[in-house]
Amino acid sequence: MDRVFHVACFTCATCQKKLRGQPFYAMESKAFCENCYVSSLEKCATCSKPITERILRATGKPYHPACFTCVVCGDSLDGVPFTVDATNQIHCIKDFHKKFAPRCSVCLQPIMPEQGQEETVRIVALDRSFHVGCYRCEDCGLQLSSEVDGQGCYPLDDHVLCRECNGKRVQSLTAM
C-alpha cells in the first residue's frame, strides 16, 4: 500500500475494525479486514460462495471453474463448448442434443450429429422426422431418397411408401 498508518488509524475501510496484527487485504489503496474483503468478492452463480481465485464468466454470470457444469451429466464445461436452453440451464452439446433434438418417428431416437460432427441431416415427411437410415418404405423396406431417381417417397393415407408399393396399394384399393 506504500503508506504509513498510526496504529489507531490502521482500520478496515468498510467496518472500521482495527487491523493491527490481523490479516488484511489491500484494494485500491485501502485496507480491508478478511470478512469485508471476502464479502466484496463476486459470488458464484451456482454455489453462491465467494470466488477467491479464477473467475469463469459465462451467460453474464460469474462461476468457480469447478461449478460450471452441465445440468444433465454434471461434467465440467470449463473450456468446453456449451449451450443453454430456453430456461437458461447450461448443457454440454451432447446432452442438449439428446434432450431437445427431434426424435425419429421410426426408431424414436434423437436425430443428432454423430460423434465429432457438428451437423446432421433430418428428413421431414408427412409432418414426421426421420434419420436418413430410417427413411424407408413401410412395405418393402427400400431406402427412400429424393436424390435417387425412382426412390422418392410416395405417401398414401399417411404411410411412407416407395413408388412400387404405392402402386400396389392403389391397385388393391381400386380393385375392391
Side-chain angles (χ1 to χ4, degrees):
M1 284 184 18
D2 296 333
R3 293 173 57 195
V4 178
F5 294 87
H6 293 106
V7 171
C9 296
F10 187 49
T11 60
C12 173
T14 302
C15 71
Q16 314 318 304
K17 177 181 170 185
K18 294 194 183 313
L19 295 176
R20 180 179 179 208
Q22 300 297 317
F24 71 93
Y25 295 85
M27 286 191 327
E28 300 170 4
S29 300
K30 295 177 184 172
F32 296 88
C33 68
E34 189 166 18
N35 285 342
C36 289
Y37 170 73
V38 169
S39 296
S40 74
L41 296 174
E42 288 194 76
K43 310 287 188 275
C44 175
T46 300
C47 72
S48 301
K49 293 181 182 171
I51 302 172
T52 58
E53 295 181 18
R54 183 168 72 96
I55 295 176
L56 187 151
R57 287 196 187 282
T59 67
K61 299 175 189 166
Y63 296 89
H64 293 107
C67 292
F68 189 63
T69 59
C70 172
V71 295
V72 177
C73 67
D75 286 353
S76 173
L77 297 175
D78 184 12
V80 176
F82 68 93
T83 190
V84 294
D85 64 18
T87 62
N88 279 332
Q89 290 193 306
I90 300 163
H91 296 76
C92 65
I93 300 298
K94 180 181 170 190
D95 285 333
F96 182 84
H97 283 305
K98 279 184 188 175
K99 190 172 178 181
F100 296 106
R103 300 225 171 238
C104 175
S105 65
V106 175
C107 71
L108 306 180
Q109 295 300 307
I111 300 171
M112 51 192 256
E114 296 294 324
Q115 187 74 26
Q117 300 293 313
E118 292 185 15
E119 295 180 353
T120 191
V121 175
R122 170 176 71 136
I123 297 171
V124 178
L126 304 174
D127 290 327
R128 300 190 322 234
S129 297
F130 299 86
H131 288 107
V132 172
C134 294
Y135 189 51
R136 298 180 171 277
C137 173
E138 292 178 22
D139 287 354
C140 72
L142 176 72
Q143 177 83 50
L144 300 175
S145 171
S146 61
E147 296 175 6
V148 179
D149 210 24
Q151 288 189 345
C153 178
Y154 293 82
L156 181 65
D157 296 330
D158 208 32
H159 291 281
V160 176
L161 303 168
C162 67
R163 183 170 53 190
E164 189 176 320
C165 292
N166 173 288
K168 287 178 185 175
R169 282 198 184 199
V170 167
Q171 268 187 335
S172 69
L173 288 171
T174 57
M176 293 180 181

